[in-house]
Amino acid sequence: MNLKELYQEIILEHGKNPRNLRKTEGFNKDAKGNNPLCGDNVHVYLKLNGQKIVEDASFEGSGCAISMASASIMTDLIKGKNEHEAKEIVEDFLGMIKENPELKSEYLSKDEKTKLMCLSGVKQYPMRVKCATLSWHTMVSAFDEKKEEVKTEN
Amino acid sequence: MNIDQIKKEFPIFDEKIQNNDLVYLDSANSSQKPKIVVDRINEFYTKQFSNVGRSVHYLAVAATNLYENTRSSVQKYINAKDKNEIVFTKGATEALNLVANTLGQSYLQEGDEVLITELEHHSNYVPWHFLRKSKNIKINFAEINEEGEITLEEIEKKITPKTKLISITHLSNVTGAILPVKEITQLAHSKGIIVVVDGCQGAPHLKLDMQDLECDFYAISCHKMYGPTGLGVLYGKKKWLEELPPYQGGGGMINEVKKDKISYGELPNKYEAGTMATAQVIAFDQSIKFLESIGIENVMKHEADLVEYGQELLQKNNSVKLIGNPKNKGGVLSFTIEGVHPHDIATILDEDGVAIRAGHHCCQILHDKLNIPASARASVGIYNTKEDLDQLNQSINNCKKIFNL
């Protein structure tokens, strides 16, 4: 266990000043997620253009530093990706946060991988994995236009 | 009273938790277990096990006597008038569901009002919500004041001619407020209103006297009382338990079963359908013995000292904001730290072996009212010391350091 690994500067910074914490104007996909056990909630908004590429992504909600930083980094790097690419990145991220030592997706640049790997410390804290994954599950739900709220598994 | 000696009776404190000494500040969630309780479960299963109330063989009779013996101990401990006013349940949640369900079946009518408070745990709200759905009853909420208390005046204000029942916590698991249950009951009874008390936090920390409180029902959670999980107690006035219908059907609760008619058993069997948590009931007798050996007055004094000390400590710690400041307060210190989410606080404290709870503590109504999504809560038990609270404060400082506060 290593708190420094969990609470890296970049996570604290994103947690304190989350990017894209707003509601995208003219969004065409959205979904809500919540974590009933701890009361965290997130609402993800996506705006896809004619070519089905994410033109803008944003979120509203409240939660711990891990969940805010995760949503912040996610909405940042998903911009410019299409649905297929975005979903592959989600799979890659979920795999990494649970067990994989590294990210594999070719749709992520080296910089993006480095940024996402900041969240890898969560792996050692099983109770906190759901904090990191809530916004990602919610984004998939937005792509799939699911009506029901996402509830985190653990 | 020697706390170090008492602490030694709890085997968990001999363990290293992630290489740390355990600073257990989560007793409002569930208390740790003294060795005599753990040993009793082991002994019963190893040497004395049998189902109760069914067979006539030696072990069955002996087990039945042990089981009923705990009922008598509980009766004595809470000063109930009659042994049959003690019903074992799977927990306080089931006890409250039993009350809501049976009153819903035969007493509460459409349009009747139930008064609860903003302090209530979900287990003292959701069962009444079921009746709101199925019977169209109305639920009203008594509101907290600035200090996080529910006053007698507020209850009086919220009573209407349609109020049939008041269901309140004895001690809030978030603000720590101790409610004036006796006075509320007197007021309610003068208006013909039933009183149900959620005693989850009251029972482990306060002196209980049912004949003095005079409430109609009182729900107890045994695992918060240094007892086993899977067990609760419902105290109910005899006239209610006799009058109300059974809650669950099955073996043990019947008198006679025919193809065209069924009659139900006498109290307390009427409410104890199926094989009960036998080992837990028998071991719970040891929890009561444990509490009696210390004396509830000593427990109350020790915990009041701790909470006063903890409150002073946290009040002096800038960035920490305590939730509620009730005059009459039990051993609960709920707080927030500006700029750090309670889950992050709990994770960081855990690294030092300090176990607290973070979240809404099953009190979403209260957290909505306070306009916070979650809080951190440190709660004390008989084994805690001032050093534990010093460690809490020190770990909070570490948390502030990590978050650059």
Side-chain angles (χ1 to χ4, degrees):
Chain A
M1 300 272 176
N2 188 343
L3 277 181
K4 282 215 172 68
E5 221 172 281
L6 182 64
Y7 293 105
Q8 297 184 27
E9 270 313 311
I10 180 160
I11 293 197
L12 294 175
E13 204 277 316
H14 272 267
K16 210 170 171 183
N17 306 301
R19 322 293 192 266
N20 313 309
L21 182 63
R22 56 184 165 78
K23 185 175 177 176
T24 298
E25 243 175 75
F27 69 90
N28 44 25
K29 301 214 180 236
D30 74 308
K32 283 183 187 173
N34 88 34
N35 178 345
L37 275 180
C38 42
D40 288 355
N41 63 79
V42 66
H43 194 158
V44 173
Y45 303 95
L46 301 172
K47 187 179 180 184
L48 274 59
N49 67 15
Q51 283 77 49
K52 299 278 171 207
I53 290 171
V54 179
E55 219 175 79
D56 190 39
S58 64
F59 73 103
E60 291 178 320
S62 67
C64 60
I66 309 293
S67 73
M68 294 306 270
S70 185
S72 171
I73 295 170
M74 176 192 83
T75 45
D76 244 2
L77 65 74
I78 222 68
K79 286 179 209 169
K81 311 279 195 293
N82 66 28
E83 178 173 343
H84 169 76
E85 292 165 346
K87 282 188 173 170
E88 191 189 293
I89 292 170
V90 173
E91 280 310 304
D92 201 20
F93 173 76
L94 295 179
M96 181 276 285
I97 217 79
K98 283 169 195 163
E99 50 191 350
N100 300 340
E102 55 194 23
L103 292 157
K104 299 175 191 128
S105 176
E106 54 179 292
Y107 301 123
L108 288 167
S109 69
K110 202 169 163 243
D111 265 9
E112 289 171 335
K113 281 184 183 162
T114 310
K115 214 182 242 180
L116 271 183
M117 284 308 284
C118 292
L119 285 157
S120 65
V122 177
K123 205 177 302 190
Q124 296 173 53
Y125 297 82
M127 289 301 287
R128 304 301 301 277
V129 165
K130 61 187 186 303
C131 307
T133 59
L134 177 62
S135 55
W136 295 75
H137 288 298
T138 307
M139 183 172 72
V140 171
S141 177
F143 274 119
D144 295 345
E145 297 185 345
K146 286 200 178 139
K147 291 279 166 274
E148 69 271 23
E149 227 168 74
V150 174
K151 306 257 189 282
T152 40
E153 44 38 303
N154 197 0
Chain B
M1 185 172 56
N2 184 339
I3 295 301
D4 290 338
Q5 211 55 45
I6 291 173
K7 199 165 180 171
K8 283 202 183 94
E9 295 182 41
F10 289 78
I12 192 126
F13 293 112
D14 297 334
E15 298 295 311
K16 289 280 178 201
I17 309 297
Q18 295 186 79
N19 300 319
N20 286 302
D21 287 333
L22 174 62
V23 176
Y24 190 74
L25 292 169
D26 199 18
S27 294
N29 186 353
S30 193
S31 64
Q32 293 296 344
K33 318 302 170 201
K35 188 168 184 292
I36 50 167
V37 173
V38 182
D39 286 351
R40 190 66 189 91
I41 292 177
N42 185 30
E43 188 190 15
F44 176 65
Y45 276 130
T46 331
K47 297 179 180 162
Q48 301 170 304
F49 181 76
S50 167
N51 205 340
V52 301
R54 309 284 200 277
S55 311
V56 296
H57 57 78
Y58 176 82
L59 285 175
V61 174
T64 304
N65 288 340
L66 289 168
Y67 183 91
E68 289 304 322
N69 191 35
T70 302
R71 200 188 306 279
S72 301
S73 300
V74 174
Q75 180 208 344
K76 205 173 122 240
Y77 190 73
I78 69 173
N79 194 27
K81 210 179 206 169
D82 194 308
K83 184 174 173 244
N84 289 333
E85 294 181 319
I86 309 301
V87 175
F88 291 115
T89 61
K90 85 169 164 78
T93 298
E94 190 181 57
L96 290 165
N97 274 275
L98 187 161
V99 176
N101 179 289
T102 54
L103 283 169
Q105 283 185 60
S106 70
Y107 184 77
L108 296 170
Q109 304 294 329
E110 183 171 342
D112 284 350
E113 294 181 5
V114 167
L115 176 59
I116 66 172
T117 81
E118 289 177 336
L119 291 176
E120 298 317 312
H121 187 280
H122 295 162
S123 61
N124 194 21
Y125 172 32
V126 183
W128 306 110
H129 167 74
F130 288 165
L131 295 183
R132 182 161 63 183
K133 286 279 174 197
S134 66
K135 295 219 65 157
N136 221 2
I137 64 150
K138 193 177 166 211
I139 301 173
N140 295 318
F141 291 87
E143 293 179 33
I144 53 165
N145 63 13
E146 289 283 299
E147 317 295 340
E149 303 167 311
I150 296 284
T151 62
L152 180 64
E153 294 70 35
E154 169 63 13
I155 294 282
E156 190 162 19
K157 217 171 84 188
K158 289 287 157 69
I159 292 176
T160 78
K162 288 185 171 173
T163 307
K164 285 277 156 41
L165 182 145
I166 298 176
S167 194
I168 47 169
T169 182
H170 198 173
L171 196 170
S172 162
N173 67 327
V174 179
T175 70
I178 298 170
L179 272 63
V181 170
K182 188 177 173 182
E183 291 74 12
I184 290 171
T185 305
Q186 279 169 352
L187 172 72
H189 283 176
S190 74
K191 295 171 186 285
I193 299 167
I194 306 173
V195 177
V196 182
V197 181
D198 168 4
C200 280
Q201 303 298 335
H205 307 291
L206 302 174
K207 186 175 169 59
L208 294 187
D209 184 335
M210 290 303 124
Q211 295 184 67
D212 181 55
L213 274 187
E214 287 215 334
C215 56
D216 298 278
F217 297 96
Y218 195 98
I220 292 171
S221 163
C222 298
H223 72 86
K224 296 187 206 291
M225 266 179 99
Y226 311 104
T229 53
L231 185 65
V233 169
L234 173 67
Y235 159 82
K237 272 191 184 156
K238 203 173 167 191
K239 68 166 177 126
W240 282 115
L241 294 179
E242 276 174 348
E243 194 180 313
L244 291 171
Y247 173 52
Q248 291 182 333
M253 56 73 71
I254 46 85
N255 177 31
E256 203 178 35
V257 177
K258 299 287 177 195
K259 275 187 173 167
D260 57 349
K261 66 168 198 248
I262 295 172
S263 59
Y264 308 128
E266 300 284 311
L267 289 177
N269 298 348
K270 178 180 167 187
Y271 291 104
E272 295 181 358
T275 292
M276 299 293 288
T278 316
Q280 290 91 323
V281 169
I282 290 166
F284 186 56
D285 200 36
Q286 300 301 316
S287 311
I288 293 175
K289 284 204 171 78
F290 169 75
L291 277 166
E292 279 173 344
S293 73
I294 300 166
I296 191 69
E297 281 83 5
N298 292 326
V299 172
M300 286 164 69
K301 168 87 177 60
H302 174 62
E303 292 177 353
D305 286 350
L306 283 179
V307 87
E308 197 188 322
Y309 182 78
Q311 238 176 329
E312 268 175 35
L313 213 55
L314 296 188
Q315 267 160 359
K316 272 188 249 158
N317 193 327
N318 53 17
S319 2
V320 175
K321 195 171 166 253
L322 279 163
I323 295 171
N325 188 24
K327 278 186 279 297
N328 219 347
K329 186 174 165 75
V332 179
L333 296 163
S334 294
F335 61 94
T336 53
I337 301 176
E338 181 77 35
V340 192
H341 192 278
H343 289 140
D344 296 316
I345 301 174
T347 295
I348 294 168
L349 264 55
D350 184 49
E351 207 75 357
D352 296 332
V354 179
I356 63 156
R357 184 163 171 194
H360 51 56
H361 321 301
C362 300
C363 292
Q364 252 185 307
I365 300 283
L366 178 62
H367 281 79
D368 284 350
K369 169 85 172 208
L370 298 167
N371 210 11
I372 47 174
S375 59
R377 179 186 71 188
S379 53
V380 301
I382 187 64
Y383 31 62
N384 288 117
T385 59
K386 288 184 177 167
E387 288 72 40
D388 290 342
L389 296 165
D390 288 334
Q391 179 60 54
L392 168 74
N393 197 39
Q394 207 178 318
S395 297
I396 286 175
N397 288 337
N398 180 35
C399 182
K400 284 159 63 179
K401 208 168 115 198
I402 288 176
F403 273 74
N404 304 314
L405 294 175

